[in-house]
Amino acid sequence: MQIITSITSMRSLAGSLRQEGKRIGFVPTMGFLHEGHLSLMRAARQENDIVVASIFVNPAQFGPKEDLARYPRDAEGDRKKCESVGVDIIFTPSAEEMYPEKPGVFVTVEGLSDILEGAIRPAHFRGVATVVAKLFHIVQPHRAYFGRKDYQQCAVIKRMTKGLDLDVEVEVLPTMRESDGLAMSSRNSYLDAAQRKKAACLFRALTAAEELVWSGVREPERVKQRMRAVIAQEEGVEIDYVEAADADDLSPLATIKGSIVLLVAVRIGATRLIDNLLVV
Ligand code: AMP
């Protein structure tokens, strides 16, 4: 396994690999890897000749009051995990390498970037779309792998890829969960034992809402109310939003029909958690 920190080296290696006819699979991450990340890497391993994983905590997608400085890091643990699932190349540039000047060039996906997560984290999706566009240009993958856990991010990246005519297949894979349903996340490491227990209410809320939809309820407000009620049972879990949205464009629903996604974002102490469930 190779570890590359320079854009020039990564770009020229990717160029030679493509010239040799190798298919490149790419998994962008911010590190502190868990089974969710590894599931993407395993899929990339199965479907490509070369697997590149990036580990880059992207300053451009953190707001000024967010957790950039304390975001968990474990370079050595990540290296071992990547090796264990057959990653060929880790691309892990510094912030100075990726943004030698204060970023003044951004990719913005309008419409999707200012709702839900974007309403609470204003420059977040601009930062995500910008770094993923840059990484696609550097790593030159045939196919890139993302987790449904970050549903809105997947929608932004798909639209960005299409809108910029990037020649990358975007693959979205299911959310990996702990045994009580909590979606795996690097940020779960912020939770103490009591908070960790409470955090399972996100998945309980989503599955309770899903049951309502399956039972035939068509009013989004009733479904959202169920999610709020389940979460309210846990003291100290503050809701940022609950939503029932169109699965394609994330627009709010007047009535529940077709493929929908249930989304939830909460704060437990200083930790923000998001989750979602696709109901098709
Ligand atoms: P992150 O390191 O949090 O930026 O995540 C890197 C990639 O892993 C993104 O595509 C995430 O959606 C994906 N991911 C994060 N958590 C999970 C999970 N629990 N299951 C599946 N994919 C995940």
Side-chain angles (χ1 to χ4, degrees), residues 154-278:
C154 292
V156 165
I157 289 166
K158 279 196 253 177
R159 201 178 282 184
M160 183 272 290
T161 306
K162 193 165 176 229
L164 295 179
D165 301 301
L166 303 181
D167 192 13
V168 181
E169 290 169 26
V170 172
E171 191 149 327
V172 175
L173 297 180
T175 302
M176 302 296 285
R177 300 182 177 281
E178 305 287 355
S179 53
D180 62 357
L182 176 65
M184 290 181 181
S185 165
S186 308
R187 289 191 168 97
N188 293 349
S189 65
Y190 298 147
L191 302 170
D192 65 29
Q195 293 173 328
R196 166 65 190 81
K197 224 172 146 199
K198 290 176 191 290
C201 76
L202 276 81
F203 188 61
R204 280 204 301 277
L206 290 167
T207 46
E210 183 189 34
E211 269 175 40
L212 269 195
V213 174
W214 284 124
S215 75
V217 170
R218 290 290 165 260
E219 300 86 6
E221 195 45 49
R222 268 185 71 193
V223 172
K224 292 200 278 187
Q225 197 42 50
R226 174 62 64 90
M227 291 198 267
R228 287 189 205 104
V230 173
I231 294 167
Q233 288 166 6
E234 294 290 352
E235 212 178 302
V237 181
E238 304 292 331
I239 296 177
D240 268 351
Y241 60 81
V242 295
E243 194 53 86
D246 180 274
D248 285 328
D249 64 9
L250 287 170
S251 57
L253 302 167
T255 178
I256 293 179
K257 64 171 190 303
S259 296
I260 69 154
V261 59
L262 304 166
L263 302 125
V264 55
V266 305
R267 279 168 289 119
I268 307 183
T271 306
R272 229 179 141 260
L273 299 176
I274 58 170
D275 200 355
N276 66 81
L277 210 55
L278 188 59

Side-chain angles (χ1 to χ4, degrees), residues 28-30 34 36-37 40 71 146-147 149-150 153 174-176 184:
T29 83
M30 298 206 299
H34 50 65
H37 300 113
L40 305 181
Y71 196 84
F146 297 88
K149 149 85 173 30
D150 299 285
Q153 169 170 288
T175 302
M176 302 296 285
M184 290 181 181

